[in-house]
Amino acid sequence: MASKRQIKVGDVAIGGGAPVVVQTMTKTETANLTATMEQIQRVAEAGADVVRCAVPREQDAEALKTIVAQSPIPIIADIHFNHTLALKAIDAGAHCIRLNPGNIGGPDKVAEVAAHAKAAGIPMRIGVNSGSLPRHLHELERDNPVEALVSAAGEFVELMHRLDFYDFKVSIKSTSVPDTIASNRLLSERIDHPLHLGITEAGTKWSGSLKSSVGLGTLLADGIGDTIRISLSTFHAEEEVKVAWEILKALKLRERGPVLIACPTCGRLQFDMDTVVAEIEERLRGYDDPIEVAVLGCAVNGIGEASHADFGIAGAKDMGVIYSQGKPLRKVATGELVDVLFEEIDKYYAAGKRVIVDDARAAEGAALLAQIEAESAGDLTPERLAAMERDAAAEESASAAPALDEAASPVDGRRFQRA
Ligand code: SF4
């Protein structure tokens, strides 16, 4: 169940049908203003909607005043153990307070922070982590970790309601991907507050991105989750933001910047596609529009399955083809494919998003495609094999109907009627 309630972190809406919000956390000492502001700037440029800063010391709470004033995106103060720091962070202008009611010193301290947040008109995030459940749930945690996580979150939600505080989102985080999925599914059935999704200590850029994509992607595909943070073991918080965006783009939940598609390559590849794809990916970072750009390792299938792309290249040993929306634009020496691709993309924007076609060049491109296709007509490429499988499956299902009629004919000659 998607959340019904909505909170506002600064001017960013979370929950209640708002687009899924991307957040990350600074990895600097918060009180180091230069380093912290540089990182906030970088994550904001990478597309973070909100950013969280750890506030473990007085000087961090103090630094929040400047950070809040200078940050281009809303600031969430991350507090553990010390409710006084939460009060100070609110006074410093933080747009939201994240705390774990289980480690802040008891319900009275939570009540004090909630009352202060309410007076300041800011929301809170209350979180439960698999490593820090309340003592009375430890036995349940051993038998049923999912129920223990959801019970802990439910108890904290009830506490906030008793305090007459409703302006909050909830997070359940676990290092286990299956437990994260199961507990958030269960929690979303029980409460209608916005949910923050994340996999705790997900790991390195590689493994952490994969775990987060599986865990968060599964929940988001179910319509569960209102804000996400990808936790990666890297100092470069902007990497977390990039991964978050790729997940949201893959699920078509939000659009940001170009989408790059590329064939997996195979033995027909005759140029250095790794370098070409990396260069295109890097250069596409300079564009904000969600155009789709395709890179094909060869043209033996023509433009094939990437024909819907706004722009694309089909490479070859010496000459390749630049195309747009299924139509060749020109043939180009392989070494110049990337530069000419971006020349065409820039022409498109300069013309107010119109593809400029030079008929003579387009004819040359089409002729090259036709030549390559003809020369490789007999090759069993991955795409052709997939097409053959599709055709075979269609043929099989088409022939299944008469076959079933035959099989249904009993020996006495009567035919069963299909419902
Ligand atoms: S046959 Fe397909 S997978 Fe192989 S290089 Fe060509 S486009 Fe890429």
Side-chain angles (χ1 to χ4, degrees):
M1 178 175 76
S3 66
K4 290 206 179 77
R5 296 178 193 260
Q6 186 172 84
I7 65 169
K8 283 284 202 71
V9 175
D11 58 358
V12 176
I14 300 179
V20 178
V21 166
V22 171
Q23 62 174 281
T24 184
M25 192 163 176
T26 50
K27 290 144 190 266
T28 54
E29 273 186 36
T30 301
N32 182 340
L33 281 173
T34 307
T36 301
M37 285 313 304
E38 275 175 13
Q39 194 158 74
I40 289 175
Q41 202 61 45
R42 278 200 300 276
V43 301
E45 281 165 15
D49 299 303
V50 297
V51 62
R52 189 153 38 109
C53 299
V55 183
R57 304 163 306 170
E58 296 277 336
Q59 57 264 46
D60 300 313
E62 186 62 28
L64 283 181
K65 290 178 189 162
T66 310
I67 293 169
V68 168
Q70 294 182 359
S71 172
I73 51 177
I75 300 292
I76 302 171
D78 189 272
I79 314 283
H80 286 282
F81 310 118
N82 186 339
H83 89 294
T84 311
L85 289 174
L87 302 176
K88 288 185 175 167
I90 295 169
D91 290 340
H95 299 100
C96 177
I97 297 292
R98 180 265 170 120
L99 57 79
N100 177 346
N103 72 19
I104 207 76
D108 291 350
K109 303 273 172 50
V110 178
E112 213 179 319
V113 177
H116 214 58
K118 195 173 200 174
I122 65 161
M124 289 170 62
R125 166 186 156 196
I126 57 170
V128 180
N129 279 19
S130 55
S132 58
L133 289 183
R135 197 183 302 274
H136 70 278
L137 291 172
H138 283 181
E139 199 177 323
L140 177 60
E141 189 180 18
R142 278 191 292 279
D143 296 340
N144 187 340
V146 168
E147 188 55 45
L149 282 164
V150 177
S151 296
E155 288 175 10
F156 291 151
V157 169
E158 279 170 22
L159 169 64
M160 301 311 277
H161 287 182
R162 280 202 303 279
L163 297 171
D164 196 27
F165 191 93
Y166 297 88
D167 194 13
F168 63 90
K169 56 183 170 151
V170 182
S171 66
I172 283 185
K173 302 215 316 181
S174 166
T175 51
S176 156
V177 172
D179 287 358
T180 301
I181 294 171
S183 57
N184 277 286
R185 279 181 173 156
L186 199 54
L187 186 65
S188 75
E189 294 294 326
R190 295 184 185 175
I191 66 168
D192 58 4
H193 289 273
L195 295 186
H196 167 114
L197 303 183
I199 307 285
T200 298
E201 295 151 16
T204 60
K205 195 173 156 187
W206 169 247
S207 64
S209 299
L210 285 170
K211 276 196 221 169
S212 300
S213 303
V214 173
L216 275 49
T218 302
L219 288 163
L220 291 168
D222 283 354
I224 296 169
D226 302 286
T227 176
I228 59 172
R229 188 249 170 139
I230 311 299
S231 303
L232 300 178
S233 295
T234 167
F235 179 74
H236 304 287
E238 62 274 19
E239 298 300 325
E240 298 185 349
V241 178
K242 289 180 198 163
V243 175
W245 272 104
E246 286 307 316
I247 294 172
L248 296 180
K249 280 159 67 174
L251 289 167
K252 302 214 180 295
L253 289 173
R254 288 183 73 180
E255 284 185 338
R256 180 186 163 84
V259 174
L260 175 63
I261 52 180
C263 84
T265 80
C266 69
R268 289 163 194 85
L269 187 68
Q270 291 180 307
F271 70 106
D272 178 10
M273 183 151 147
D274 272 13
T275 308
V276 165
V277 172
E279 188 182 344
I280 291 175
E281 188 171 42
E282 187 53 41
R283 286 174 69 166
L284 283 175
R285 290 195 208 289
Y287 295 76
D288 294 330
D289 220 27
I291 51 165
E292 194 169 68
V293 176
V295 184
L296 299 176
C298 75
V300 300
N301 304 295
I303 293 164
E305 289 176 5
S307 58
H308 55 279
D310 294 298
F311 287 92
I313 64 173
K317 192 172 178 199
D318 303 314
M319 300 294 284
V321 175
I322 310 270
Y323 66 90
S324 173
Q325 292 161 1
K327 299 205 173 57
L329 289 180
R330 57 201 282 192
K331 72 173 182 180
V332 182
T334 301
E336 293 168 23
L337 274 171
V338 178
D339 284 344
V340 178
L341 169 70
F342 281 93
E343 204 178 284
E344 293 296 334
I345 291 174
D346 290 342
K347 273 201 300 199
Y348 164 79
Y349 284 116
K353 292 199 190 179
R354 264 189 324 111
V355 180
I356 307 297
V357 181
D358 176 317
D359 289 340
R361 283 176 160 171
E364 283 177 8
L368 178 61
L369 276 182
Q371 180 195 329
I372 295 172
E373 276 189 87
E375 284 169 3
S376 59
D379 288 7
L380 286 178
T381 64
E383 293 80 359
R384 283 179 188 151
L385 285 168
M388 284 163 71
E389 275 170 19
R390 271 198 308 274
D391 291 349
E395 212 171 288
E396 201 174 310
S397 65
S399 62
L404 188 56
D405 282 346
E406 281 300 304
S409 300
V411 284
D412 66 0
R414 281 178 297 158
R415 293 182 69 83
F416 289 116
Q417 203 174 352
R418 284 172 185 247

